[in-house]
Amino acid sequence: QVQLVESGGGLVQAGGSLRLSCAASGRTFSTYAMGWFRQAPGKEREFVAGISWSGGNTAYADSVKGRFTISRDNAKKTMYLQMNSLKPEDTAVYYCAQSRTTAVVTTPELYDYWGQGTQVTVSS
């Protein structure tokens, strides 16, 4: 089993920054790709960013490219999402997830384990 716990969410003004963390336990963290997803009220869950097992490859949704940075520390079994220049449309519950693959994937169905989510609210 894998447990994923997100932290770092909160309320921030537009243009501000937040750093999300995802702490993992259980299945070998460094073996699998990881990702961040988000879900806003009334909308489907969407891919935000993903990172390969080694951290050498990353992928971003077009809506966050250039503003968000995903990273991981395999020794600490932790993944991060640095979010800068936040916009009200970034408001959502953010979830971290562990993939069943080593390479970055963007499809939620390819992720086996999910955290409980952390709320990010960006005020205008």
Side-chain angles (χ1 to χ4, degrees):
Q1 267 294 1
V2 175
Q3 292 78 43
L4 301 174
V5 179
E6 303 97 335
S7 60
L11 173 65
V12 64
Q13 288 189 332
S17 299
L18 283 174
R19 188 194 196 202
L20 304 184
S21 298
C22 173
S25 61
R27 187 171 73 172
T28 304
F29 177 79
S30 60
T31 303
Y32 301 96
M34 299 287 294
W36 288 99
F37 291 76
R38 67 186 181 187
Q39 187 167 19
K43 295 187 176 181
E44 293 189 354
R45 189 170 299 190
E46 65 174 355
F47 172 79
V48 175
I51 188 165
S52 63
W53 70 277
S54 66
N57 290 294
T58 59
Y60 297 92
D62 288 343
S63 59
V64 307
K65 206 170 291 184
R67 299 187 298 121
F68 291 10
T69 303
I70 189 172
S71 62
R72 66 189 296 165
D73 185 334
N74 286 343
K76 294 182 177 180
K77 293 187 176 182
T78 303
M79 177 179 65
Y80 306 97
L81 185 68
Q82 178 66 45
M83 305 186 294
N84 298 329
S85 302
L86 283 161
K87 305 175 181 180
E89 51 263 43
D90 294 318
T91 295
V93 177
Y94 283 70
Y95 299 90
C96 71
Q98 186 179 72
S99 169
R100 66 186 66 164
T101 67
T102 57
V104 179
V105 290
T106 63
T107 307
E109 290 75 16
L110 294 178
Y111 286 79
D112 288 333
Y113 298 98
W114 295 81
Q116 82 288 349
T118 185
Q119 177 70 48
V120 172
T121 303
V122 184
S123 63
S124 57

